[in-house]
Amino acid sequence: EFAWPAGALLRLVAKCSICLLAASRARRPGELRIGRNLRDTTLVDLKLLATVFATVFLAELGDKTQLATLLYAADRNVGLWTVFIGASLALILASAIGVLAGGFIAEHVDERILRYVAGAGFIVIGIWTLVRA
């Protein structure tokens, strides 16, 4: 029988909830979204840009990605720029996959359903955090 480690399950629920929330927001008219012509109906929404930056930045602090990068950078035989560029490219690709998936989901799933599922995911995370405290 396979048992999910509690931390891995919590991270999975958190990341799915964030993706669903992002997908539900992508349906707002006038926002920059990925599509046939990059949906270039507006310039970048700076408020949304700051929100996404802060959310992803805080979510990544202390994550396995940052710890792996730290371990590579701690090796005195590797160049720090090489580690930085490699980690940055990996995060850019992972983010691109998330944006494309969110755009695809937003095109095929009703916005209300996305908001309910994302909200439920955040509630589960909150309850889980309180129970574990």
Side-chain angles (χ1 to χ4, degrees):
E1 177 179 3
F2 178 77
W4 279 83
L9 183 59
L10 182 61
R11 283 190 299 277
L12 177 65
V13 171
K15 290 179 182 191
C16 289
S17 297
I18 289 170
C19 288
L20 291 172
L21 181 63
S24 71
R25 291 190 48 84
R27 293 189 64 104
R28 289 185 3 196
E31 285 191 35
L32 180 64
R33 299 180 296 176
I34 298 298
R36 284 171 278 165
N37 63 357
L38 296 181
R39 298 182 195 147
D40 55 1
T41 57
T42 65
L43 295 176
V44 174
D45 178 349
L46 293 179
K47 183 177 177 183
L48 180 61
L49 177 70
T51 301
V52 170
F53 174 82
T55 303
V56 173
F57 180 76
L58 292 174
E60 289 299 322
L61 284 178
D63 195 13
K64 291 180 295 191
T65 305
Q66 188 180 32
L67 295 176
T69 304
L70 182 140
L71 290 175
Y72 280 115
D75 185 348
R76 294 176 188 235
N77 297 323
V78 298
L80 296 180
W81 281 108
T82 303
V83 173
F84 174 76
I85 292 169
S88 297
L89 291 173
L91 289 172
I92 289 169
L93 180 60
S95 296
I97 291 169
V99 168
L100 292 173
F104 178 79
I105 291 169
E107 294 294 325
H108 300 320
V109 178
D110 185 273
E111 179 179 357
R112 289 184 323 179
I113 293 171
L114 290 175
R115 288 186 188 273
Y116 287 134
V117 172
F122 282 115
I123 290 170
V124 167
I125 291 168
I127 291 171
W128 182 267
T129 302
L130 290 173
V131 168
R132 303 268 304 166

